[in-house]
Amino acid sequence: MFVKSLTLTNYRNYERQKINFSEGLNVFWGDNAQGKTNIVEAIYCASLGHSHRTRQDTELIKWEKEAGRIALDYARSGVAGKVELTFAQNKRRQISLNSHPISLKDLIGNLNTVLFSPEDLFLIKGAPGERRRFLDREISQASPVYYHELIKYNRLIKERNALLKGIRERNTRPQMLDVWDPQVASSAAAIVQKRQATITQLNRLAAKIGKIISGDMENLRLEYEITGLSEKMTLEPEKWYNEKLAQGRETDIIRATTGIGPHRDDLIIKVNEVNLKTYGSQGQQRTGALALKLAELEFLHEATGEYPILLLDDVMSELDRDRRRELMSFIEKENIQTMITATDAAYFPEGLKARFFKVKQGAVEEKPAE
Ligand code: ATP
Ligand code: MG
């Protein structure tokens, strides 16, 4: 899978820019605030339908313009595809695939990407929601069935919570929950089983990429934490959820929220059996986040048979020289199309096979490293 070209029109600080990519490594370098991350962000948008930096479409439109547009040409298993996204003030965004309008759920899974950016430190340091989103995004890119299940589950929880509120306010009969709970339990079990299977696979892959990240990270291990589970699950997951939902009903009604389920679970990341969130150094947390992303890359490779596009924003400045070299040779060896940004071209080893693009004030120009 690779991106052939990207055309930006009134997107962020670009008025009109076309970029033709190499199928291998593409380096975008230049000073701060010139538009490097904007390029990576646009490719991410074409893959998942939204930016990694904002949920406000209007922020993506060039200031004082009415509408902005991303058009991206790609090839997958030798078949060409074109994704277009149009953002307009006060209007819903429009997405099209090969010139046919499509919905967001039909966009996901066409062009797969894995992004690593400085904000990913929150994957380790942040709240459980960050880690759930990481897992969900990754599984969804490989499995539309999972993505649909997730939408269904979230809807069920929203409806159940509304029901709980109705019961608390004595407008609704508590028996209504008997209709909802088995559906919630069945969907919860499906999601949790898929997440657990993915984590088993990620643990295997994390060992494979250990070398790139070197030393410390070799013992990276992920564990799935189910809320409300103190020991091993002895029942079949669906039965367990049915029981737990019944047990928690009274508290759930008082709080008008559902206390257990995959929407409350967490992913625990350990190095040498110690929780990275609580005890990891800043550097360990950074490399931990990168290791997770590379495991995600391998996961999508296994699941789809093709490497996704790797988007690395500002990663070079965070790695020491040996790790930079290991990372570059991994990308070269596996032939992964990569877009990488850096403030300085000197971060890249000499003789590296790559296309260099200089980014300056919303303009991109192919130019060898200085
Ligand atoms: P750094 O090295 O600091 O990360 P960068 O090259 O990655 O910098 P970007 O985040 O890609 O920088 O681009 C930032 C520039 O884009 C800033 O100058 C910002 O003011 C401008 N910008 C952001 N949104 C818009 C917009 N909607 N319209 C016009 N310009 C914008
Ligand atoms: Mg940037």
Side-chain angles (χ1 to χ4, degrees):
M1 179 172 338
F2 69 94
V3 180
K4 288 190 219 167
S5 68
L6 174 72
T7 308
L8 302 174
T9 317
N10 294 331
Y11 178 85
R12 293 278 196 191
N13 65 338
Y14 292 94
E15 194 163 304
R16 186 161 174 88
Q17 178 73 55
K18 183 169 185 193
I19 307 164
N20 295 309
F21 300 96
S22 128
E23 289 180 30
L25 189 58
N26 298 276
V27 175
F28 294 88
W29 65 286
D31 292 341
N32 292 135
Q34 302 302 310
K36 301 181 299 294
T37 302
N38 294 345
I39 294 167
V40 162
E41 179 188 45
I43 299 172
Y44 184 90
C45 277
S47 161
L48 289 160
H50 62 84
S51 157
H52 66 291
R53 292 195 287 191
T54 177
R55 291 282 168 154
Q56 302 296 320
D57 283 358
T58 47
E59 286 177 27
L60 306 176
I61 305 169
K62 193 168 196 304
W63 297 325
E64 291 161 15
K65 300 285 179 182
E66 278 303 306
R69 193 158 162 274
I70 299 170
L72 183 148
D73 282 290
Y74 68 96
R76 183 173 184 167
S77 313
V79 182
K82 189 185 185 80
V83 176
E84 286 161 287
L85 274 95
T86 313
F87 311 98
Q89 307 281 1
N90 310 320
K91 251 182 37 197
R92 276 176 69 111
R93 93 197 76 157
Q94 287 178 323
I95 309 174
S96 76
L97 182 65
N98 299 326
S99 307
H100 298 291
I102 56 163
S103 65
L104 177 64
K105 71 179 197 311
D106 293 321
L107 175 72
I108 293 168
N110 281 292
L111 176 77
N112 291 335
T113 52
V114 168
L115 164 74
F116 182 76
S117 72
E119 290 95 26
D120 282 316
L121 195 51
F122 286 103
L123 193 55
I124 309 286
K125 278 167 82 153
E130 302 277 343
R131 290 177 288 280
R132 287 195 298 268
R133 265 193 296 280
F134 161 77
L135 269 180
D136 288 341
R137 195 174 47 233
E138 162 181 346
I139 308 171
S140 297
Q141 290 199 70
S143 162
V145 175
Y146 179 84
Y147 183 61
H148 293 169
E149 190 67 54
L150 202 61
I151 293 174
K152 183 172 113 190
Y153 178 78
N154 289 333
R155 198 196 64 228
L156 282 168
I157 289 294
K158 213 167 135 194
E159 289 167 354
R160 186 178 191 268
N161 292 347
L163 211 60
L164 292 166
K165 191 158 179 267
I167 297 167
R168 186 174 70 184
E169 286 162 8
R170 300 183 195 289
N171 300 322
T172 314
R173 290 183 308 124
Q175 289 82 352
M176 284 290 284
L177 285 172
D178 297 340
V179 184
W180 249 262
D181 287 2
Q183 294 181 63
V184 173
S186 149
S187 186
I191 289 168
V192 168
Q193 282 170 311
K194 185 76 185 169
R195 285 188 187 166
Q196 284 177 318
T198 303
I199 287 171
T200 308
Q201 205 176 342
L202 282 174
N203 274 327
R204 187 166 47 75
L205 297 170
K208 190 178 158 190
I209 53 121
K211 192 178 162 288
I212 309 163
I213 308 302
S214 83
D216 274 357
M217 286 300 141
E218 267 162 34
N219 275 315
L220 186 75
R221 246 184 67 78
L222 310 175
E223 283 169 21
Y224 190 72
E225 189 177 72
I226 297 176
T227 22
L229 180 71
S230 44
E231 285 162 30
K232 253 190 130 47
M233 195 179 278
T234 45
L235 286 175
E236 196 239 318
E238 191 172 336
K239 284 210 184 89
W240 187 83
Y241 274 115
N242 263 313
E243 251 182 34
K244 279 286 174 180
L245 285 169
Q247 282 168 13
R249 250 185 211 192
E250 268 178 49
T251 332
D252 283 358
I253 291 168
I254 295 167
R255 296 188 181 146
T257 55
T258 304
I260 61 146
H263 63 293
R264 303 292 300 270
D265 295 350
D266 200 354
L267 169 70
I268 310 292
I269 306 159
K270 289 184 173 175
V271 171
N272 302 330
E273 296 309 308
V274 178
N275 194 335
L276 204 51
K277 177 177 175 163
T278 330
Y279 298 107
S281 74
Q282 183 95 342
Q284 271 184 320
Q285 291 181 338
R286 278 214 186 94
T287 25
L290 179 61
L292 264 188
K293 291 294 172 127
L294 294 178
E296 178 185 2
L297 186 84
E298 289 291 344
F299 169 84
L300 285 170
H301 181 214
E302 277 197 358
T304 66
E306 281 182 279
Y307 270 113
I309 316 299
L310 181 58
L311 306 171
L312 297 174
D313 192 21
D314 247 347
V315 66
M316 294 309 250
S317 57
E318 305 198 4
L319 299 176
D320 57 37
R321 214 176 57 187
D322 286 348
R323 288 176 191 193
R324 287 204 290 264
R325 197 176 310 118
E326 287 289 354
L327 180 62
M328 289 303 112
S329 69
F330 167 74
I331 291 168
E332 249 185 333
K333 194 172 102 248
E334 300 291 336
N335 243 329
I336 303 163
Q337 190 186 32
T338 304
M339 323 298 182
I340 182 165
T341 72
T343 45
D344 199 335
Y347 282 126
F348 298 89
E350 258 180 58
L352 184 73
K353 265 212 305 238
R355 240 156 123 167
F356 284 83
F357 298 89
K358 174 96 201 240
V359 181
K360 199 170 175 191
Q361 291 179 354
V364 178
E365 189 193 343
E366 189 171 358
K367 194 175 170 190
E370 277 166 6

